[in-house]
Amino acid sequence: MNQHCLQCGKEAKLNAKFCPGCGAPLGGALPQVQRLQPGQIIHGNSFRILHTLGKGGMGLVYLAENKRTFDRRCVIKEMLDYFDPNDQQQKATARQRFEDEARILSRLNHPGIPSIQDYFEENSHYYIVMDYVDGQNLEQMLGRHLPESQVVGYGVQVCEILEYLAGLSPPVVHHDIKPANIIVDASANRACLVDFGTAKARLSIQPGGGVGVQKSSIYGTVGYAPPEQYKGQSEPRSDVYALAATLYHLLTNDDPGEHAFSFPQLSSLSPHVSTT
């Protein structure tokens, strides 16, 4: 008998501690231990850890200083052991997914996407180093009753990023557009898209001639992910759906995660927003 992840619905072994799809803890899984501490130097004498910025299902994110570039601030993402440590296949899959994120970031060049600086392994742990975006993410802005023009402006900026990703060969699908993954750069007042841990660029032709990702365990976040993403048939337009759900949440303060695929307060928005 197996169990199912409450976050994404992925089936997992009964004794698994973490979801093989989204990395969320299963059952009584123990919280991850923070390995890096403020002031710690890693990767030779390259990076100094300042403090923790956040934590997701698959990675812990730190603010750090790059000592090789005169203490310029950067972000270091560390792969967490969200898999069953006794399952070598899960371990290999997790490592490959993390490496895929670094590889995808290395080929992206857009002002709305933080650039990758480095990727390395140290003491059997894996790290990605990226540019630091100084600002708040949209999740931190929820409930503030932001002006419609401001929210729409952020949406247009993210659309420009998605247009760039869709125009790559092959296209890149982010798979997890949500308020927490969009940071507004305080200096440029520009929306930036982060956390490409679930992005996929390996596309295949689906039945009917559509282009989508190969069947995978990528489910995104409940409330923002479109129906086809749960079937492994996502495409660039799937990110557009997730962005629309994100803008809906910002404009209405109604969390789509509480009623997936339904947006009951859409009619309360002005017509030029609700009908687009």
Side-chain angles (χ1 to χ4, degrees), residues 129-206:
V129 184
M130 297 164 285
D131 287 346
Y132 171 57
V133 179
D134 185 10
Q136 289 188 315
N137 64 45
L138 295 187
E139 185 176 59
Q140 295 170 301
M141 300 183 187
L142 291 172
R144 293 187 186 178
H145 303 290
L146 299 175
E148 182 181 282
S149 60
Q150 183 178 353
V151 175
V152 172
Y154 293 149
V156 170
Q157 291 172 347
V158 177
C159 280
E160 292 173 351
I161 300 173
L162 297 184
E163 184 178 20
Y164 163 75
L165 294 175
L168 295 174
S169 183
V172 170
V173 182
H174 184 279
H175 277 123
D176 201 17
I177 306 290
K178 60 184 177 182
N181 286 340
I182 300 172
I183 299 178
V184 179
D185 188 327
S187 61
N189 194 31
R190 180 184 182 87
C192 298
L193 184 59
V194 300
D195 197 355
F196 281 74
T198 54
K200 286 287 183 181
R202 297 189 294 274
L203 303 184
S204 62
I205 302 298
Q206 301 291 335

Side-chain angles (χ1 to χ4, degrees), residues 19 33 48 74 87 89 94 97 99 103 117 149 193 243:
C19 174
V33 177
R48 179 193 292 114
C74 60
D87 190 321
Q89 182 176 355
R97 180 178 293 175
E99 184 177 319
R103 181 175 293 106
Q117 297 182 15
S149 60
L193 184 59
L243 174 59

